[in-house]
Amino acid sequence: MKILFVFFLLVSCSKDIKVPFISKDPAKPINVIIENEFDITYSLLTLARQNNDACQMSLEIKNISKEEKRNSLSIEAFSFADKKYEAFVVEKRSKPNEVVNSNVQFNGINCGDVRKINFYK
């Protein structure tokens, strides 16, 4: 019984820093820091299309480094079926503490079906 409790505790406390968890409420903002250079806050919203859904991600990208950076990110979203959807963000350069807002779309997926998101610089 003690082993089962310890195993449950380890599983519930494990967290991958690079891959933020998806909230049960996709519209709730999620925050992630990328390589101590960008502090990103994002939320997801499903857009109903005539033929299929699209998941729109609203991004607020803050440059938390001490130098000017180009806000260039690759984003991967994975559905429950491990299907991968990719998006790219290339925005103007930002100065330290400057915030840039952007939107990206993952076509063919409902935001409720997204199970994880990876950001790459």
Side-chain angles (χ1 to χ4, degrees):
M1 186 68 171
K2 289 180 183 179
I3 294 173
L4 184 61
F5 176 75
V6 171
F7 177 75
F8 176 75
L9 184 64
L10 288 173
V11 169
S12 64
C13 293
S14 65
K15 183 176 179 183
D16 188 347
I17 296 171
K18 189 153 185 139
V19 182
F21 290 100
I22 300 301
S23 169
K24 291 188 188 294
D25 178 9
K28 181 181 176 193
I30 299 173
N31 186 261
V32 62
I33 293 178
I34 310 278
E35 297 180 16
N36 291 321
E37 293 184 7
F38 298 112
D39 182 0
I40 299 173
T41 302
Y42 68 91
S43 58
L44 303 174
L45 174 67
T46 297
L47 304 174
R49 298 275 171 88
Q50 188 171 2
N51 295 331
N52 60 10
D53 290 332
C55 183
Q56 178 174 299
M57 176 188 280
S58 299
L59 296 160
E60 183 179 272
I61 306 166
K62 181 177 182 183
N63 180 353
I64 57 174
S65 74
K66 295 184 181 188
E67 53 192 61
E68 191 171 301
K69 295 281 180 189
R70 181 172 177 82
N71 303 309
S72 176
L73 301 169
S74 298
I75 307 168
E76 295 176 341
F78 292 87
S79 70
F80 285 107
D82 279 337
K83 185 169 180 184
K84 182 166 84 171
Y85 301 85
E86 294 180 304
F88 303 96
V89 177
V90 180
E91 293 286 340
K92 66 180 181 94
R93 296 182 73 80
S94 61
K95 297 177 181 168
N97 294 318
E98 184 178 1
V99 175
V100 173
N101 292 303
S102 185
N103 289 311
V104 296
Q105 287 186 13
F106 301 105
N107 293 318
I109 186 171
N110 180 307
C111 293
D113 294 336
V114 175
R115 72 175 175 89
K116 72 177 179 178
I117 294 175
N118 294 337
F119 289 87
Y120 300 100
K121 193 174 73 76

